Amino acid sequence: MKMKWALLTIIFSIATVLTGCDNPLAVLDPKGPVAANQANVIMISIWTMLVIVLVVVILYAIMLFKYRASKSSDDYVPPHVEGSHVLEAIWTIIPILIVIFLSVVSVRSTNEVEATPKGYEDQEPLIIYAASSNWKWHFSYPEEDIETVNYLFLPTNRPIEFKLYSYGPISSFWIPQLGGQKYAMSDMVNTLHLAAETPGEYMGRNANFSGSGFAEHTFNVKAMPEEEFTKWVDEIHGTAKKLTESEFDKLLEPGHVGQYTFNGTHLDFRPAPEHNHGASGNGESEHSNHEDSKKADEAETEHQH
């Protein structure tokens, strides 16, 4: 009777949890090549572990049944066994092969996600500087010369190169349906390569505990076709106010804020750390070209005056 009620409780709990899920687990519902790669690795690991568990359980059941005490006579004395070299070799080699297999899968996947997504190598990436602070995300688009706070717009079918750093404690940038997490630190820039292939809205967050405001350290992501993204950039240039250093300093103060949009970026007066890890080279050159272009415009304006 107790076993029956325990089984019913488990079934009821699983059914209750599943009915409350409108979507599958985010990391297993990829919307980009990087997330798809990582989801495949997760499933390979899960299936490998399930096979191991299944084999162990079956062998355990066979041993219990075949060598149970009730099967032998009362005067049975088990023989002295020195051991089997064959069996010892089997249970030593199999775990080694499993570790080698999972290591190869993990290393290949890591190398792929650390580079520009497959199929996008010939495209120019969109560079976005993603800086965290207590407890906000600041997204700078240097080529578009705009900045957003706590929300992110991305063009689909184009490689995205995020430059991650922090104005506060270490944070972890994570958009589960587009790719795995990577740390944002105060003294260096980490590069994260992603791409969105399906238009839609996704949730991003800080996946590393960073104090009392950690739970709300999130941001919204919207992926859209390139034409819509270009139209959005043009609208910002025509409507958003200029980001000033004083305004940016206020945003860096600990606390939560809503979503903001600005013309200009904080990179003009508060550049990112110089040490850049994992960059493809495009990001630095594009930002330098952007800065050179701005300086040239300013020089031209002064000359006209």
Side-chain angles (χ1 to χ4, degrees):
M1 180 62 71
K2 291 183 178 180
M3 182 63 69
K4 176 183 176 182
W5 281 108
L7 183 60
L8 289 174
T9 301
I10 293 174
I11 294 174
F12 177 77
S13 301
I14 294 175
T16 302
V17 171
L18 291 180
T19 53
C21 297
D22 295 330
N23 298 304
L25 192 63
V27 293
L28 298 180
D29 182 29
K31 301 300 181 182
V34 176
N37 184 315
Q38 294 173 331
N40 289 337
V41 173
I42 292 174
M43 292 309 303
I44 289 173
S45 301
I46 290 175
W47 283 112
T48 302
M49 289 184 286
L50 285 177
V51 169
I52 295 171
V53 170
L54 184 62
V55 170
V56 170
V57 169
I58 291 174
L59 290 176
Y60 181 65
I62 292 174
M63 295 300 112
L64 288 178
F65 179 78
K66 185 176 181 179
Y67 299 105
R68 64 191 186 277
S70 60
K71 187 178 179 180
S72 59
S73 59
D74 295 337
D75 59 348
Y76 170 76
V77 178
H80 179 70
V81 179
E82 292 291 341
S84 170
H85 296 298
V86 174
L87 291 177
E88 291 176 357
I90 289 175
W91 64 56
T92 301
I93 293 174
I94 289 179
I96 292 176
L97 293 177
I98 293 172
V99 171
I100 292 174
F101 169 69
L102 292 178
S103 298
V104 170
V105 171
S106 299
V107 170
R108 289 184 60 184
S109 173
T110 300
N111 288 333
E112 289 179 8
V113 301
E114 285 295 320
T116 302
K118 283 187 176 180
Y120 296 92
E121 295 88 350
D122 297 332
Q123 294 188 37
E124 196 70 28
L126 172 65
I127 308 297
I128 301 177
Y129 284 76
S132 71
S133 64
N134 282 339
W135 289 272
K136 297 160 285 286
W137 287 98
H138 312 263
F139 299 106
S140 304
Y141 300 72
E143 286 304 299
E144 289 72 21
D145 200 28
I146 61 176
E147 182 159 327
T148 63
V149 178
N150 290 337
Y151 81 94
L152 185 63
F153 277 21
L154 303 175
T156 54
N157 300 310
R158 181 179 176 184
I160 312 295
E161 193 170 302
F162 287 100
K163 304 295 186 180
L164 311 175
Y165 57 100
S166 175
Y167 285 105
I170 295 177
S171 302
S172 181
F173 180 88
W174 189 28
I175 309 174
Q177 289 181 276
L178 296 185
Q181 58 183 312
K182 204 164 191 178
Y183 288 112
M185 296 177 279
S186 61
D187 59 347
M188 66 181 294
V189 173
N190 274 331
T191 300
L192 176 65
H193 300 273
L194 296 180
E197 295 183 329
T198 305
E201 297 184 4
Y202 312 114
M203 174 59 69
R205 68 165 301 108
N206 170 20
N208 185 64
F209 181 73
S210 59
S212 58
F214 160 76
E216 297 178 57
H217 197 180
T218 61
F219 57 95
N220 296 319
V221 182
K222 185 174 182 179
M224 62 190 71
E226 184 81 34
E227 301 78 20
E228 292 185 23
F229 177 78
T230 302
K231 182 179 178 181
W232 169 71
V233 172
D234 292 338
E235 289 177 353
I236 291 179
H237 286 160
T239 59
K241 66 178 182 179
K242 181 74 175 178
L243 178 63
T244 63
E245 188 169 4
S246 59
E247 180 79 18
F248 183 69
D249 288 337
K250 290 179 181 179
L251 289 172
L252 291 182
E253 296 176 0
H256 295 105
V257 299
Q259 297 181 349
Y260 289 87
T261 309
F262 299 99
N263 266 308
T265 74
H266 71 266
L267 300 173
D268 297 331
F269 47 80
R270 199 73 60 81
E274 293 183 1
H275 180 56
N276 198 326
H277 175 70
S280 65
N282 294 331
E284 289 304 309
S285 60
E286 286 193 9
H287 182 52
S288 298
N289 291 338
H290 171 67
E291 291 297 319
D292 293 342
S293 176
K294 291 191 66 175
K295 290 179 180 178
D297 292 341
E298 292 174 357
E300 180 66 22
T301 302
E302 291 180 359
H303 177 71
Q304 292 176 356
H305 286 312

